[in-house]
Amino acid sequence: MTAPQLIAGNWKMNGLLGAKAEVTALVQALNGRKHLPDILICPPATLLRALIDAVEQGSIRLGGQTCHAKPNGAHTGDISAEMLKDAGASCVIVGHSERRTDHKETSAEVAAQATAAWRAGLTAIICIGETEAERVSGKTETVLAAQIDGSVPTDATPQTTAVAYEPIWAIGTGKTASLADIEYAHAFIRQRMAAKLGATGSAIRLLYGGSVKPSNAKEILHAKGVDGVLVGGASLKATDFLAIIEGAKPG
Ligand code: PGA
C-alpha cells in the first residue's frame, strides 16, 4: 500500500497567537472530508501548545522547524526534539536551507538532528537542495548526492522519515522549478536513496518545496515521483493551504 501524500506547511518565523484562527478555519473546512492526504503544520515552537487545541479534533498534525541533537543541556536558545514532542509535535523539519545558510548547519549536524527526532518519537523531514549557482554550473546532482549521503542516516525508514527536495533558488522567490526539473531531481534522489538504503530508500516519501501555491500545487502533486509538498508562504493562510491540500491525490 502506498502512503498518502504529505502536505506540510512551514510557517518559518511567522505567526502570533492570532494565527490560531487560520488553523481553526482550516480544521473546519476539512471537517468530514474523506480521503485526505497527511497534513502537517510546522508553526514557530512558541505556538505549538496553542495550536494543539485547534487541531485536536481534526486530521492535522503539528511539527517543529528544527531541533538540537541533544535532549537537553546548556544550549541557549535551542530547542530539543523531546521539547517539541512534549509541546505536541509529531514531526520536525531538519536541514532546511535557511538553517544550513543562516546557522551554518552541516549535513552531519542535520543527520544528528534526524536521529534526535527519532529518539524523541518524532518523524523527520530532511531537506536538501542546490543553490542557483550550483544549478547553473551543473552541480545539482553532486550537491544532492552529497546532501543525501551526509544528512540521511542509514537507519531512516518510511515510517520515520521524509525527504524534501527544495531547490534554494525556488524558495520564497515565486520561481517554481519546472515539472521536468522536479521529476528529474526526484528520480535522481530516489535512485540515490535506493542505492544508500535499499528497498527502504525506495519507499521514503519525497516532497517538493519551493514556491508551491494554489495555482501550481495540483500539477506538482501529480508529477512523477512527488509524494507531497513542503509549503512556506502559501501555508500561512487557511484558504491557500486548503487549495493546495485539495490538489493532492486522494489519500
Ligand atoms: P516557499 O518556502 O513555499 O515560501 O517558497 C518553501 C520552504 O522554504 O519550505
Side-chain angles (χ1 to χ4, degrees):
M1 203 189 96
T2 28
Q5 290 191 309
L6 171 60
I7 313 297
N10 171 14
W11 282 13
K12 309 191 179 184
M13 197 172 74
N14 296 293
L16 303 175
L17 264 183
K20 185 173 174 178
E22 294 296 325
V23 177
T24 305
L26 185 62
V27 170
Q28 276 165 3
L30 292 171
N31 194 13
R33 295 205 196 187
K34 298 213 163 54
H35 309 298
L36 286 171
D38 287 343
I39 304 167
L40 175 75
I41 293 177
C42 301
T46 47
L47 288 181
L48 282 170
R49 293 270 3 135
L51 296 187
I52 276 290
D53 296 346
V55 300
E56 214 163 39
Q57 309 301 328
S59 37
I60 301 173
R61 290 182 304 128
L62 297 178
Q65 299 177 8
T66 185
C67 65
H68 195 279
K70 300 247 174 74
N72 51 49
H75 303 286
T76 303
D78 280 316
I79 188 156
S80 71
E82 281 77 0
M83 290 168 176
L84 293 171
K85 172 86 176 169
D86 191 45
S90 58
C91 181
V92 61
I93 299 167
V94 295
H96 190 281
S97 62
E98 287 151 17
R99 301 289 312 173
R100 291 181 189 258
T101 306
D102 299 354
H103 297 272
K104 310 280 175 289
E105 289 182 357
T106 63
S107 283
E109 284 164 338
V110 174
Q113 292 167 0
T115 302
W118 305 335
R119 179 190 66 219
L122 302 176
T123 57
I125 298 178
I126 304 173
C127 301
I128 58 173
E130 80 286 2
T131 64
E132 174 95 69
E134 288 161 347
R135 171 183 153 86
V136 297
S137 57
K139 295 201 190 111
T140 299
E141 291 188 2
T142 317
V143 170
L144 294 180
Q147 289 182 339
I148 293 164
D149 293 352
S151 317
V152 182
T154 46
D155 48 351
T157 72
Q159 288 72 39
T160 61
T161 310
V163 169
Y165 169 57
E166 298 208 302
I168 295 170
W169 47 273
I171 295 179
T173 58
K175 273 200 248 172
T176 319
S178 69
L179 286 188
D181 281 341
I182 295 172
E183 289 183 348
Y184 184 85
H186 277 231
F188 176 79
I189 294 165
R190 175 65 72 209
Q191 190 192 38
R192 190 82 188 185
M193 294 279 292
K196 180 172 169 148
L197 306 172
T200 309
S202 307
I204 287 176
R205 285 188 285 193
L206 287 188
L207 318 183
Y208 168 78
S211 298
V212 176
K213 46 198 170 211
S215 59
N216 62 18
K218 187 166 184 180
E219 60 172 7
I220 292 172
L221 283 161
H222 286 73
K224 199 160 184 283
V226 174
D227 304 315
V229 286
L230 180 54
V231 186
S235 69
L236 293 168
K237 289 197 75 164
T239 44
D240 288 346
F241 200 46
L242 178 65
I244 292 169
I245 292 165
E246 287 171 339
K249 293 181 187 165

